[in-house]
Amino acid sequence: MNKFFIFAVYGLAGGFSANIYATSIANDIELIFPPKGIVIEQGVEGDPLYKSVGVDVKIQDGEAVYTLNASFDLGETWRVFGEYDSNEFWEVGVGKSFYTSLMFTEVTAKANSAGYSAGVFAGIPVSETVILMADTNYNWYTDEFRLGFELGDDYQGELGFTPSDTIDIMLGVSWSAHQRLNVSYSYNHVYDTRGGNSWVTLPELGIHKQCFLDINCNKGNFNYHDITFTTQVWKFSPYFTYTYFSDRENFYEFGLSFKW
Protein backbone atom coordinates (compact mmCIF):
# COMPACT_ATOMS: atom_id res chain seq x y z
CA MET A 1 0.00 0.00 0.00
CA ASN A 2 1.81 3.13 -1.22
CA LYS A 3 0.58 6.23 0.53
CA PHE A 4 1.78 9.40 -1.11
CA PHE A 5 3.07 11.99 1.34
CA ILE A 6 0.80 15.01 1.59
CA PHE A 7 1.10 17.27 4.58
CA ALA A 8 -1.86 19.61 4.34
CA VAL A 9 -4.99 20.55 6.19
CA TYR A 10 -8.11 21.67 4.41
CA GLY A 11 -11.08 23.32 6.06
CA LEU A 12 -14.48 23.94 4.59
CA ALA A 13 -15.20 26.30 7.44
CA GLY A 14 -18.69 26.86 8.74
CA GLY A 15 -20.57 30.07 9.15
CA PHE A 16 -20.78 31.52 5.65
CA SER A 17 -23.85 29.71 4.31
CA ALA A 18 -26.41 27.04 4.96
CA ASN A 19 -23.69 24.58 3.97
CA ILE A 20 -22.03 25.09 7.33
CA TYR A 21 -21.41 21.38 7.80
CA ALA A 22 -20.88 20.43 4.15
CA THR A 23 -17.82 18.28 4.70
CA SER A 24 -15.48 16.75 2.17
CA ILE A 25 -12.89 14.01 2.24
CA ALA A 26 -10.43 16.74 1.30
CA ASN A 27 -10.86 18.04 4.84
CA ASP A 28 -9.23 14.83 6.05
CA ILE A 29 -6.30 14.94 3.66
CA GLU A 30 -3.73 14.76 6.43
CA LEU A 31 -5.39 11.65 7.82
CA ILE A 32 -5.42 9.88 4.45
CA PHE A 33 -1.81 10.76 3.66
CA PRO A 34 -0.13 10.80 7.10
CA PRO A 35 2.91 13.07 7.49
CA LYS A 36 6.27 11.60 8.35
CA GLY A 37 6.95 11.13 12.03
CA ILE A 38 3.38 10.14 12.99
CA VAL A 39 3.10 7.03 15.15
CA ILE A 40 2.14 3.99 13.08
CA GLU A 41 1.57 0.35 13.81
CA GLN A 42 3.18 -2.32 11.71
CA GLY A 43 0.83 -4.69 9.97
CA VAL A 44 1.31 -8.40 10.25
CA GLU A 45 2.79 -8.47 6.75
CA GLY A 46 3.59 -5.72 4.29
CA ASP A 47 3.11 -2.02 4.81
CA PRO A 48 2.30 -0.23 8.09
CA LEU A 49 -1.19 0.56 9.24
CA TYR A 50 -1.85 4.14 10.25
CA LYS A 51 -3.66 5.43 13.28
CA SER A 52 -4.02 8.97 14.48
CA VAL A 53 -5.73 10.81 17.28
CA GLY A 54 -5.42 14.57 17.12
CA VAL A 55 -6.60 17.80 18.65
CA ASP A 56 -7.08 20.94 16.54
CA VAL A 57 -7.47 24.48 17.82
CA LYS A 58 -8.90 26.82 15.18
CA ILE A 59 -9.49 30.55 15.44
CA GLN A 60 -12.70 31.53 13.63
CA ASP A 61 -14.20 35.01 13.96
CA GLY A 62 -11.93 35.63 16.94
CA GLU A 63 -13.14 32.56 18.83
CA ALA A 64 -11.30 29.31 19.45
CA VAL A 65 -12.90 26.08 18.21
CA TYR A 66 -11.48 22.85 19.62
CA THR A 67 -11.78 19.63 17.60
CA LEU A 68 -10.93 16.06 18.58
CA ASN A 69 -10.40 13.85 15.53
CA ALA A 70 -9.29 10.30 14.89
CA SER A 71 -8.53 8.00 11.97
CA PHE A 72 -7.71 4.30 12.11
CA ASP A 73 -6.78 1.92 9.30
CA LEU A 74 -8.67 -1.36 9.22
CA GLY A 75 -6.56 -3.63 7.07
CA GLU A 76 -4.94 -2.43 3.86
CA THR A 77 -7.80 -0.51 2.23
CA TRP A 78 -10.41 0.37 4.87
CA ARG A 79 -10.38 3.06 7.53
CA VAL A 80 -12.79 4.63 10.01
CA PHE A 81 -12.62 8.24 11.12
CA GLY A 82 -14.52 10.84 13.08
CA GLU A 83 -14.43 14.18 14.87
CA TYR A 84 -16.19 16.19 17.56
CA ASP A 85 -15.75 19.90 18.22
CA SER A 86 -16.59 22.45 20.88
CA ASN A 87 -19.58 23.67 18.82
CA GLU A 88 -21.08 20.18 19.36
CA PHE A 89 -20.66 19.25 15.72
CA TRP A 90 -19.83 15.56 15.28
CA GLU A 91 -19.11 13.34 12.32
CA VAL A 92 -18.23 9.67 11.81
CA GLY A 93 -17.39 7.91 8.57
CA VAL A 94 -15.85 4.97 6.79
CA GLY A 95 -13.59 4.97 3.74
CA LYS A 96 -12.57 2.37 1.18
CA SER A 97 -9.38 3.09 -0.77
CA PHE A 98 -8.12 1.88 -4.13
CA TYR A 99 -4.53 2.07 -5.38
CA THR A 100 -3.03 1.95 -8.84
CA SER A 101 0.37 2.92 -10.16
CA LEU A 102 -1.09 6.28 -11.25
CA MET A 103 -3.46 7.40 -8.51
CA PHE A 104 -5.06 6.92 -5.11
CA THR A 105 -8.86 6.91 -4.76
CA GLU A 106 -11.05 6.76 -1.66
CA VAL A 107 -14.82 6.35 -1.49
CA THR A 108 -16.42 7.52 1.76
CA ALA A 109 -19.73 7.55 3.55
CA LYS A 110 -20.37 9.84 6.54
CA ALA A 111 -23.01 10.72 9.08
CA ASN A 112 -22.91 13.95 11.07
CA SER A 113 -25.05 16.16 13.25
CA ALA A 114 -26.51 17.90 10.19
CA GLY A 115 -27.15 14.96 7.87
CA TYR A 116 -25.31 12.50 5.65
CA SER A 117 -22.64 12.64 2.97
CA ALA A 118 -21.11 10.35 0.35
CA GLY A 119 -18.16 11.16 -1.86
CA VAL A 120 -15.10 10.21 -3.87
CA PHE A 121 -11.60 11.65 -3.51
CA ALA A 122 -8.71 11.14 -5.95
CA GLY A 123 -5.02 12.02 -5.57
CA ILE A 124 -2.63 11.88 -8.55
CA PRO A 125 1.11 12.38 -7.93
CA VAL A 126 2.79 14.20 -10.82
CA SER A 127 6.20 14.44 -9.15
CA GLU A 128 7.83 13.72 -5.80
CA THR A 129 6.57 17.03 -4.42
CA VAL A 130 3.34 17.80 -6.33
CA ILE A 131 0.01 16.00 -6.11
CA LEU A 132 -3.17 16.88 -7.98
CA MET A 133 -6.45 16.34 -6.12
CA ALA A 134 -10.12 16.11 -7.03
CA ASP A 135 -13.10 15.54 -4.77
CA THR A 136 -16.88 15.41 -5.08
CA ASN A 137 -19.52 14.88 -2.40
CA TYR A 138 -23.28 14.74 -2.17
CA ASN A 139 -24.66 16.08 1.13
CA TRP A 140 -28.12 15.27 2.46
CA TYR A 141 -29.30 17.68 5.18
CA THR A 142 -31.70 16.45 7.82
CA ASP A 143 -31.18 19.34 10.23
CA GLU A 144 -33.34 22.45 10.35
CA PHE A 145 -32.94 25.70 12.20
CA ARG A 146 -35.76 27.15 14.33
CA LEU A 147 -35.93 30.40 16.28
CA GLY A 148 -38.87 31.44 18.42
CA PHE A 149 -39.72 35.13 18.87
CA GLU A 150 -42.32 37.35 20.49
CA LEU A 151 -44.27 40.15 18.84
CA GLY A 152 -45.33 42.44 21.63
CA ASP A 153 -46.71 40.79 24.75
CA ASP A 154 -49.44 38.72 23.14
CA TYR A 155 -48.05 37.01 20.06
CA GLN A 156 -45.47 34.28 19.75
CA GLY A 157 -44.03 33.11 16.45
CA GLU A 158 -41.30 31.04 14.88
CA LEU A 159 -38.71 31.57 12.18
CA GLY A 160 -37.27 28.49 10.53
CA PHE A 161 -34.96 27.39 7.75
CA THR A 162 -34.24 24.03 6.10
CA PRO A 163 -31.13 24.06 3.88
CA SER A 164 -30.93 22.52 0.44
CA ASP A 165 -28.99 19.35 -0.23
CA THR A 166 -25.72 20.17 -2.00
CA ILE A 167 -23.11 18.81 -4.36
CA ASP A 168 -19.58 19.93 -3.45
CA ILE A 169 -16.76 19.80 -5.99
CA MET A 170 -13.08 20.49 -5.27
CA LEU A 171 -10.07 20.66 -7.60
CA GLY A 172 -6.72 21.27 -5.98
CA VAL A 173 -2.97 20.86 -5.88
CA SER A 174 -0.60 20.14 -3.00
CA TRP A 175 3.07 21.15 -3.15
CA SER A 176 5.68 20.00 -0.65
CA ALA A 177 7.77 23.15 -0.91
CA HIS A 178 10.14 22.01 1.85
CA GLN A 179 10.55 19.07 4.17
CA ARG A 180 8.59 20.99 6.80
CA LEU A 181 6.39 23.21 4.64
CA ASN A 182 3.44 22.34 2.43
CA VAL A 183 1.42 24.76 0.30
CA SER A 184 -2.01 23.73 -0.98
CA TYR A 185 -4.57 25.44 -3.20
CA SER A 186 -8.12 24.37 -4.01
CA TYR A 187 -10.97 25.67 -6.15
CA ASN A 188 -14.35 24.78 -4.64
CA HIS A 189 -17.88 24.85 -6.06
CA VAL A 190 -21.05 24.30 -4.01
CA TYR A 191 -24.31 23.65 -5.85
CA ASP A 192 -27.81 23.47 -4.32
CA THR A 193 -29.70 20.50 -5.73
CA ARG A 194 -33.04 22.05 -4.75
CA GLY A 195 -34.24 25.23 -3.14
CA GLY A 196 -34.05 25.52 0.60
CA ASN A 197 -37.12 26.42 2.60
CA SER A 198 -37.68 29.24 5.09
CA TRP A 199 -40.82 30.12 7.00
CA VAL A 200 -42.36 32.40 9.60
CA THR A 201 -45.46 31.59 11.63
CA LEU A 202 -47.68 33.72 13.92
CA PRO A 203 -50.61 31.41 14.72
CA GLU A 204 -52.57 34.07 16.62
CA LEU A 205 -52.56 36.28 13.51
CA GLY A 206 -53.07 33.44 11.04
CA ILE A 207 -49.66 34.00 9.41
CA HIS A 208 -48.00 30.95 7.90
CA LYS A 209 -45.56 32.32 5.36
CA GLN A 210 -43.32 29.99 3.32
CA CYS A 211 -40.13 31.19 1.63
CA PHE A 212 -40.04 34.10 4.06
CA LEU A 213 -38.13 36.98 2.45
CA ASP A 214 -37.11 34.46 -0.25
CA ILE A 215 -34.21 33.29 1.89
CA ASN A 216 -32.40 30.67 -0.21
CA CYS A 217 -35.68 29.31 -1.57
CA ASN A 218 -34.27 28.98 -5.07
CA LYS A 219 -31.42 26.84 -6.29
CA GLY A 220 -28.11 28.56 -5.87
CA ASN A 221 -24.41 27.98 -6.24
CA PHE A 222 -21.19 29.72 -5.32
CA ASN A 223 -17.45 29.32 -5.71
CA TYR A 224 -14.58 29.94 -3.33
CA HIS A 225 -10.81 29.43 -3.17
CA ASP A 226 -8.67 28.06 -0.35
CA ILE A 227 -4.95 28.41 0.12
CA THR A 228 -3.30 26.65 3.05
CA PHE A 229 0.22 26.77 4.50
CA THR A 230 1.14 23.94 6.83
CA THR A 231 4.35 23.18 8.70
CA GLN A 232 5.47 20.60 11.23
CA VAL A 233 7.30 21.04 14.54
CA TRP A 234 7.71 17.70 16.27
CA LYS A 235 4.12 16.40 16.47
CA PHE A 236 2.56 19.86 16.22
CA SER A 237 1.18 21.01 12.86
CA PRO A 238 0.52 24.77 12.76
CA TYR A 239 -1.41 25.90 9.69
CA PHE A 240 -3.00 28.96 8.14
CA THR A 241 -5.88 28.95 5.66
CA TYR A 242 -7.24 31.89 3.70
CA THR A 243 -10.60 31.54 1.96
CA TYR A 244 -11.55 33.92 -0.83
CA PHE A 245 -15.07 34.64 -2.11
CA SER A 246 -15.78 36.95 -5.03
CA ASP A 247 -19.19 38.04 -3.73
CA ARG A 248 -19.05 37.81 0.06
CA GLU A 249 -16.76 38.40 3.00
CA ASN A 250 -13.51 36.46 2.98
CA PHE A 251 -12.13 34.81 6.09
CA TYR A 252 -9.01 33.19 7.46
CA GLU A 253 -8.28 30.46 9.92
CA PHE A 254 -5.32 29.70 12.16
CA GLY A 255 -5.00 26.21 13.51
CA LEU A 256 -2.74 23.95 15.53
CA SER A 257 -3.05 20.21 15.18
CA PHE A 258 -1.41 17.80 17.59
CA LYS A 259 -1.04 14.11 16.71
CA TRP A 260 0.13 11.23 18.81
Side-chain angles (χ1 to χ4, degrees):
M1 178 173 63
N2 297 319
K3 289 194 174 182
F4 313 114
F5 169 53
I6 295 182
F7 185 39
V9 178
Y10 281 92
L12 183 56
F16 54 84
S17 76
N19 305 297
I20 184 169
Y21 295 129
T23 54
S24 162
I25 196 63
N27 299 343
D28 305 313
I29 191 72
E30 185 182 1
L31 300 182
I32 304 173
F33 304 103
K36 296 175 182 177
I38 297 287
V39 177
I40 56 178
E41 285 188 347
Q42 294 292 331
V44 177
E45 295 181 358
D47 297 309
L49 301 181
Y50 174 62
K51 69 176 183 179
S52 166
V53 178
V55 177
D56 291 288
V57 182
K58 304 175 184 180
I59 304 299
Q60 296 176 351
D61 298 327
E63 296 185 0
V65 179
Y66 302 90
T67 303
L68 175 66
N69 56 67
S71 177
F72 298 93
D73 280 358
L74 302 176
E76 296 264 332
T77 61
W78 289 91
R79 74 179 182 111
V80 293
F81 53 90
E83 67 175 66
Y84 183 82
D85 70 22
S86 55
N87 289 331
E88 298 186 352
F89 172 74
W90 60 265
E91 181 172 77
V92 294
V94 60
K96 168 68 174 178
S97 57
F98 303 88
Y99 299 88
T100 70
S101 59
L102 297 177
M103 67 185 299
F104 163 88
T105 305
E106 184 174 51
V107 179
T108 60
K110 303 177 183 179
N112 58 53
S113 55
Y116 305 92
S117 178
V120 180
F121 171 85
I124 303 174
V126 296
S127 73
E128 292 184 357
T129 60
V130 177
I131 297 180
L132 302 180
M133 299 173 292
D135 180 44
T136 183
N137 286 264
Y138 192 98
N139 304 292
W140 294 268
Y141 288 95
T142 59
D143 203 1
E144 62 180 17
F145 307 92
R146 295 175 177 268
L147 176 65
F149 66 92
E150 294 183 357
L151 184 62
D153 297 328
D154 301 321
Y155 304 107
Q156 293 185 345
E158 181 183 68
L159 288 169
F161 175 68
T162 303
S164 168
D165 294 343
T166 64
I167 296 175
D168 301 344
I169 299 172
M170 182 278 290
L171 298 174
V173 59
S174 174
W175 174 41
S176 296
H178 185 268
Q179 183 179 5
R180 294 190 178 276
L181 175 65
N182 181 271
V183 182
S184 299
Y185 164 79
S186 68
Y187 167 81
N188 304 269
H189 180 79
V190 178
Y191 173 73
D192 290 341
T193 61
R194 55 180 174 81
N197 183 37
S198 63
W199 67 89
V200 61
T201 61
L202 276 167
E204 292 87 350
L205 298 179
I207 297 176
H208 300 278
K209 174 67 175 177
Q210 296 293 314
C211 280
F212 180 60
L213 297 180
D214 197 31
I215 300 176
N216 199 40
C217 291
N218 299 314
K219 287 185 179 180
N221 61 83
F222 63 91
N223 305 317
Y224 65 97
H225 307 262
D226 276 335
I227 184 167
T228 299
F229 299 88
T230 311
T231 186
Q232 183 181 20
V233 181
W234 190 52
K235 295 184 179 182
F236 291 94
S237 303
Y239 65 90
F240 170 78
T241 297
Y242 179 75
T243 301
Y244 171 77
F245 297 89
S246 60
D247 58 351
R248 63 190 72 191
E249 183 179 359
N250 304 323
F251 63 87
Y252 61 88
E253 174 183 300
F254 291 99
L256 180 64
S257 178
F258 175 65
K259 307 291 182 183
W260 70 86

